[in-house]
Amino acid sequence: MRGVLDQTQWEDGRVTAGPQAAQVKRNLQLTEEHPVAQQLGEIVLKALGRNETFLSAALPHKVFPPLFNCYTGGGQFGMHVDTAVRDVRTKGLRVRTDLSGTLFLSAPEEYDGGELVMEDTYGAHAAKLPAGDLVLYPSTSLHKVNAVTRGARIASIFWVQSLVREDSQRTLLFEMDSALQKLNKTSADHASLVQLTGVYHNLLRRWAEL
């Protein structure tokens, strides 16, 4: 993917930003219609579909086609909240942005700065992950990308409309599913495992929106 992106002509990232975000966004990007974005986006989507942790945490209903961006030469994205609903122009549908994802495609040692900083009730959290690692966080979070002062920070970004809209409900289901998976490895024949699995699915049935 990096080999392809390193030979691609980038565009001004403000094209896809809302009015407020455009004032603080300074990066390069490929739009969803760009053939390279579509080609590489399919690779990302297939990888997400194989990742059990992502599926358990996000409970995806719709995924906005992955975009690709590049921060270099002081590029940054000031504090903002992602747009609540995004139009998928290539498919004529809308995606409510419950979760935001950043897939890092540059190794941390390739650039200085560029941390993804997210704020929540407990303060600010910075992420600068190895190439191939993904951070998934609520789209309601205030977040920013620090200025890149050396090298280039290349990443793929996307948004998820979850089956479960509420963050707290989705977190409970993720924690329960994680515990069930561990129990299934050590106590697969325990009668309580069947009961707890039923509780998980009944909660999902109660909270899911289709």
Side-chain angles (χ1 to χ4, degrees):
M1 293 173 70
R2 279 293 304 278
V4 174
L5 290 170
D6 288 346
Q7 300 180 42
T8 299
Q9 185 69 39
W10 296 93
E11 304 165 3
D12 191 329
R14 288 174 292 185
V15 172
T16 59
Q20 183 275 326
Q23 299 180 41
V24 295
K25 186 178 185 181
R26 298 292 182 272
N27 71 353
L28 302 173
Q29 190 167 286
L30 301 183
T31 63
E32 63 180 280
E33 296 93 350
H34 197 290
V36 170
Q38 294 182 358
Q39 173 195 354
L40 300 185
E42 285 299 316
I43 297 174
V44 175
L45 291 174
K46 289 179 180 178
L48 293 175
R50 295 190 301 266
N51 190 291
E52 293 182 359
T53 303
F54 168 77
L55 296 174
S56 177
L59 294 171
H61 179 42
K62 300 176 186 176
V63 179
F64 188 90
L67 303 176
F68 296 83
N69 59 29
C70 174
Y71 291 83
T72 189
Q76 60 185 302
F77 199 161
M79 196 64 76
H80 65 285
V81 172
D82 289 339
T83 303
V85 178
R86 299 190 70 98
D87 292 313
V88 185
R89 295 187 296 270
T90 56
K91 297 184 179 179
L93 58 86
R94 289 182 169 181
V95 174
R96 185 186 68 237
T97 58
D98 298 323
L99 291 159
S100 302
T102 296
L103 172 63
F104 290 82
L105 298 175
S106 295
E109 60 270 19
E110 292 185 64
Y111 59 100
D112 292 334
E115 297 86 0
L116 172 63
V117 181
M118 300 149 286
E119 290 191 357
D120 61 18
T121 307
Y122 305 102
H125 310 272
K128 185 174 180 178
L129 305 182
D133 279 12
L134 166 72
V135 59
L136 190 68
Y137 56 98
S139 299
T140 53
S141 305
L142 277 170
H143 58 282
K144 66 178 180 177
V145 176
N146 288 336
V148 173
T149 58
R150 178 188 66 86
R153 174 197 189 270
I154 298 174
S156 176
I157 58 172
F158 59 89
W159 296 269
V160 178
Q161 178 173 329
S162 178
L163 290 169
V164 177
R165 182 198 301 246
E166 179 60 42
D167 291 338
S168 60
Q169 294 172 345
R170 197 168 52 245
T171 299
L172 285 172
L173 288 170
F174 177 57
E175 291 175 351
M176 182 177 289
D177 189 38
S178 298
L180 286 169
Q181 291 183 39
K182 292 176 183 176
L183 287 172
N184 196 49
K185 293 178 180 178
T186 59
S187 308
D189 57 347
H190 200 292
S192 295
L193 186 59
V194 176
Q195 185 177 9
L196 288 172
T197 300
V199 171
Y200 171 87
H201 284 285
N202 286 331
L203 286 174
L204 179 57
R205 185 177 290 111
R206 176 183 290 270
W207 292 334
E209 300 176 8
L210 298 174

